[in-house]
Amino acid sequence: MSYCKQEGKDRIIFVTKEDHEAPSNAELIEDDPNDPYEDHGLILPNGDINWNCPCLGGMASGPCGQQFKDAFSCFHYSKEEVKGSDCVENFRSMQECMQKYPELYPQEDDNDSAPSGGADNAPTASTSTDSLPTSSPDSTPAATENPAAS
Amino acid sequence: MFKCKAVWNKLAPLVRASSTLCLQNARKSVLRHGRRLEMVQKAQMSSGPAGGGGENTLYYVLVGATCLGTGVYAYRTVSGDKERYNERMIDLVNRPKQGPRAAEAVKPVEEPTLTEAPVEEPLVTEAVVEFTESEPVTEPLVEASIPEPTVETLVTESVVEASVPESIIEVSVTEPVAEAPAVTQSEEPLASVVESETEPTPVIITAHVPEASPVSESAAVSEPAPAAEPVESTAAHSDVPEHAPYLLIGGGTASFAAARSIRARDPGARVLIVTEESELPYMRPPLSKELWFSDDPKATETLSFKQWNGKERSIYFQPPSFYVSPTDLAKVENGGVAVLTGRKVVHMDVRENKVKLSDGAEISYEKCLIATGGVPRNLQVIDRAGEEVMKRTTLFRKIEDFRSLEKISREVKSITIIGGGFLGSELACALGRRSTDLGLEVIQMFPEKGNMGKVLPEYLSNWTTEKVRKEGVNIIMDAVVKNVSYKNDKLEIKLKDGRLIETDHVVAAVGLEPSVELAKSAGLEVDSDFGGYRVNAELQARSNIWVAGDAACFYDIKLGRRRVEHHDHAVVSGRLAGENMTGASKPYWHQSMFWSDLGPDVGYEAIGIVDSSLPTVGVFAKATAKDTPKAATEQSGTGIRSESETEAVAVTLKAETTAPPPPVQQKEDYGKGVVFYLRDNVVVGIVLWNVFNRMPIARKIIKDGEQHADLNEVAKLFNIHED
């Protein structure tokens, strides 16, 4: 049974599970999907990749950022049947670059996980708004960790 | 007047005399002529005062010649002067441009002149120049032609030639055709000009050489330079780039977030971070949380902590290999982020778009971010208490403060924390956890009635205080420190109400003073209510200058003007500033959140304006054993509770895997719930008390800014009974 008490200016309500079973009648304002101010996930409303998405960690901004952007863009816009199969060259140069910085991009997995990581990221990102449960901290390799975490 | 009159008086008789004389002569000559004309018409004798005919001619010839000579001389002098003047003007105009050209000019000139160093002779390497007036000149005048005909520079070789100490050679590199005649004529006067400029030129050159040329060239120039001065100044500044398209002042969380944002949006961007600290950018929350709970004895050295999934991570945002060295920043192909440590920006010139560092180096920029954060405040009584007390006081903010406090906690018997806010309470819990192992007494004192007294409503604050007590902390409430003194190898704290506390070490966690030292030189506004630089909703202070993080007092479109000192705000505002520096023009819109954990039982996340002076409405459910921060991290599968919010946020505590959470036995059971903070009946702040992963809903409610009639209905949106 819920009850309520007042302590000075503060009001306290205790509720049971049953009290909260009925759906809420609180009104929330409809979200505008094209709101220019709003933060977006990995994919912007116009279909472009949001390189500033926290979900990418430091991938787009590090020393191999340019190679990563090229590879991932190619993958994203790839119209091949096996998505990304026309981007092997880009991924190869990305991996070459990453091998030069083993501290930043630990080479536990191959670049095989990178395209699959991209595939995982794209659909999950489009469904979430501003949060990605698979976002990983900076120093861990985002490309290799993301598929594992998701 | 008198003088004139005197002179006139003197002259007047003379004038009269001469005039009468003239008249007499005139009459005489007329009469004479008249008589002569009558008498002799043949011979013309000009015996008049004007002189004879022959004499007249000679006279006229002499006068004419003199006039002609004078005219010629005057013409030559005037035209020579004009040429000299023109050349001088060109020299003066070129002198400021002398820098970059100087390096180029000096190099090729080096070879020909060095071979002739000991010889003081006019050295002409250019055939175009004609020496019509070649007198032995004490100053050898060297003229060299440089492949670029358009280059006009003035370089002194005092820097280059070591063995010619006295002479200063001015090398005029001129356009071969046009200036040659001028050069020949002006050679002599130029020599004299050179002489007179003996003093200023060395000064000018030494000042220019370090500044002008890029680092690689200045290194080459300074090698042959004999004077120690130019070499030293170039060496000291040699690792400071002269120009950075994106300059970020401050090397903390906001700065790093901005750097990342800029690099993501502007491909190939070159970002320079200048920080006073000697460390690369790192995150602060673990310094008062995870690092204290780590099992790893080496944690203080490595500054790594274990996350829930066993994976180690460092508090540094990126390892050193991520960054480019400042000297390479201008050259590296795809740009990068460089960090200049141990340097403070002391002066900012907004008109010229450049800053000056503590070592005198100057860096010009195109876009600048000020993310200087702040310094911990101190109590006045401690400031005035003397050196012995100051030695035993920690103002906690940086890595070195963490290391020193960690060491001290193992050495002393009693530590007192002054301050009951986030930092004070977290440190109290962290130290309290160690108290039994180390035999350490931990005291926490503050003027409020309970921990987080300025943040949480009273009932929750009291509940929190109990929790902190259970962590082993001796809490003294309503404590206003009046005096701190050093007695018998202990610190004695005297409170206003007379209580006396003896302790070995004090940690002052009484707030942060935003660092606004650049406001004066940059002409930036400082906010009088909140402190910090006053910026608009897009975090801009002036054109090309943005401010983010703890130091920014910004306009929040939804909640009004404020200044926020939390980690997530630093990330969000840093990222926004970076976006706006690359042309986004977005206002502060994504509301930042914060969190705190006080022991394994109490954890909360909050968003918006969370001020205990506002009226609140709290909706609570009974907590089960599952509702703890620990459980939340395990279930959601996110090692970092706030990972869903930002990527670089510290982990929640996860230290105690052995002991189960103690059962909650309270009078009032505030297990889990939601607290709404209201301003004019609109929800401006929300605390999620032991409910996790609901932040997006809370954010939405604040964004809407609606007046809700029944907040219980709003609370239903959070499903507080579920996990």
Side-chain angles (χ1 to χ4, degrees), chain B residues 251-560:
Chain B
T253 308
S255 197
F256 183 80
R260 176 177 285 187
S261 189
I262 291 169
R263 287 279 300 157
R265 288 174 51 89
D266 180 2
R270 294 169 206 280
V271 181
L272 178 67
I273 296 177
V274 179
T275 173
E276 209 181 4
E277 288 195 58
S278 54
E279 310 270 2
L280 294 173
Y282 61 90
M283 54 175 74
R284 276 183 223 288
L287 292 179
S288 60
K289 300 184 201 39
E290 287 83 355
L291 284 178
W292 290 95
F293 304 133
S294 172
D295 302 322
D296 183 2
K298 285 241 177 88
T300 43
E301 276 174 49
T302 58
L303 300 173
S304 307
F305 54 96
K306 258 202 181 112
Q307 301 168 259
W308 69 277
N309 55 4
K311 236 182 139 40
E312 289 262 326
R313 86 147 288 173
S314 165
I315 66 168
Y316 293 101
F317 288 115
Q318 292 286 4
S321 51
F322 174 87
Y323 303 100
V324 167
S325 91
T327 40
D328 293 334
L329 185 64
K331 294 178 285 196
V332 66
E333 193 191 329
N334 285 329
V337 182
V339 182
L340 204 58
T341 53
R343 245 63 73 97
K344 184 170 177 177
V345 175
V346 295
H347 182 94
M348 191 163 177
D349 187 343
V350 172
R351 287 209 286 202
E352 304 285 328
N353 284 344
K354 61 179 191 217
V355 300
K356 194 192 288 195
L357 305 185
S358 44
D359 60 2
E362 289 194 347
I363 307 175
S364 62
Y365 61 84
E366 285 158 47
K367 312 259 180 206
C368 180
L369 173 75
I370 299 178
T372 44
V375 289
R377 286 207 181 112
N378 196 357
L379 290 172
Q380 271 192 341
V381 293
I382 295 181
D383 249 343
R384 291 183 284 195
E387 205 198 308
E388 288 297 323
V389 173
M390 278 308 295
K391 264 194 333 202
R392 290 166 173 77
T393 303
T394 298
L395 297 173
F396 194 90
R397 178 134 173 110
K398 305 191 214 166
I399 289 178
E400 58 206 49
D401 303 321
F402 161 73
R403 286 190 169 131
S404 106
L405 185 63
E406 203 275 337
K407 181 160 171 288
I408 288 166
S409 71
R410 284 181 275 119
E411 290 169 0
V412 300
K413 289 275 155 245
S414 159
I415 296 183
T416 299
I417 298 160
I418 304 180
F422 291 101
L423 185 61
S425 307
E426 284 170 7
L427 284 176
C429 285
L431 289 170
R433 180 75 59 84
R434 293 186 165 200
S435 59
T436 40
D437 303 332
L438 299 171
L440 174 69
E441 180 197 30
V442 182
I443 304 166
Q444 187 185 8
M445 58 172 68
F446 41 80
E448 295 88 31
K449 289 200 169 54
N451 284 84
M452 318 304 301
K454 289 194 180 154
V455 174
L456 299 175
E458 200 175 320
Y459 59 95
L460 279 183
S461 165
N462 292 339
W463 203 78
T464 308
T465 310
E466 272 309 306
K467 285 284 155 204
V468 175
R469 272 212 179 93
K470 284 216 166 55
E471 291 295 318
V473 179
N474 176 7
I475 295 186
I476 303 175
M477 299 170 287
D478 301 305
V480 178
V481 177
K482 194 164 163 211
N483 186 310
V484 181
S485 47
Y486 175 63
K487 274 183 194 153
N488 306 326
D489 202 30
K490 282 219 171 244
L491 290 180
E492 194 182 75
I493 304 171
K494 193 185 287 183
L495 300 181
K496 201 165 166 186
D497 55 10
R499 285 179 284 181
L500 236 61
I501 288 98
E502 266 192 12
T503 189
D504 294 322
H505 195 89
V506 164
V507 178
V510 294
L512 189 78
E513 188 66 46
S515 298
V516 291
E517 290 130 353
L518 287 174
K520 190 144 193 258
S521 58
L524 298 176
E525 195 178 358
V526 172
D527 191 274
S528 41
D529 298 319
F530 301 100
Y533 296 97
R534 199 178 268 181
V535 295
N536 62 15
E538 295 176 16
L539 303 184
Q540 196 179 31
R542 281 181 65 165
S543 312
N544 304 327
I545 303 180
W546 287 262
V547 188
D550 291 351
C553 174
F554 65 101
Y555 183 69
D556 184 329
I557 297 178
K558 281 290 165 196
L559 301 177

Side-chain angles (χ1 to χ4, degrees), chain A residues 74-110:
Chain A
C74 173
F75 173 83
H76 180 64
Y77 293 112
S78 165
K79 302 265 181 297
E80 296 292 315
E81 215 178 280
V82 179
K83 199 164 164 72
S85 53
D86 52 340
C87 304
V88 179
E89 196 49 52
N90 289 325
F91 280 103
R92 200 209 317 275
S93 63
M94 182 178 85
Q95 183 174 40
E96 265 172 29
C97 175
M98 288 182 176
Q99 276 169 341
K100 286 190 253 167
Y101 301 94
E103 215 183 4
L104 290 173
Y105 311 103
Q107 298 292 308
E108 289 161 296
D109 296 3
D110 292 333

Side-chain angles (χ1 to χ4, degrees), chain B residues 82-222:
Chain B
K82 191 169 165 206
E83 306 259 15
R84 206 163 8 115
Y85 170 75
N86 282 340
E87 198 177 321
R88 188 100 183 93
M89 289 312 289
I90 292 164
D91 292 346
L92 285 172
V93 162
N94 283 338
R95 196 164 281 157
K97 292 189 246 158
Q98 154 189 5
R101 315 276 175 77
E104 301 168 300
V106 168
K107 270 185 171 172
V109 172
E110 260 177 43
E111 286 79 43
T113 53
L114 274 174
T115 54
E116 314 226 2
V119 180
E120 288 195 4
E121 276 175 3
L123 183 71
V124 181
T125 55
E126 188 192 66
V128 181
V129 178
E130 294 169 52
F131 283 89
T132 54
E133 307 166 62
S134 55
E135 11 307 90
V137 182
T138 52
E139 258 81 6
L141 193 69
V142 181
E143 288 166 22
S145 71
I146 297 225
E148 306 165 81
T150 54
V151 172
E152 279 182 64
T153 67
L154 192 68
V155 179
T156 74
E157 293 180 61
S158 61
V159 178
V160 177
E161 299 202 301
S163 47
V164 188
E166 270 288 8
S167 66
I168 296 181
I169 304 139
E170 281 196 40
V171 177
S172 324
V173 179
T174 62
E175 295 188 273
V177 178
E179 295 291 319
V183 171
T184 56
Q185 267 191 337
S186 58
E187 192 190 72
E188 214 180 354
L190 195 58
S192 60
V193 167
V194 167
E195 268 178 318
S196 66
E197 290 190 350
T198 308
E199 297 316 305
T201 39
V203 175
I204 295 166
I205 267 298
T206 53
H208 278 186
V209 167
E211 270 180 24
S213 35
V215 176
S216 51
E217 281 184 71
S218 75
V221 169
S222 60

Side-chain angles (χ1 to χ4, degrees), chain A residues 42 49-60 68 72 121 142 146:
Chain A
L42 183 63
I49 301 171
N50 178 17
W51 297 118
N52 210 7
C53 178
C55 55
L56 288 177
M59 292 298 287
F68 172 79
F72 198 53
N121 269 337
N146 273 339

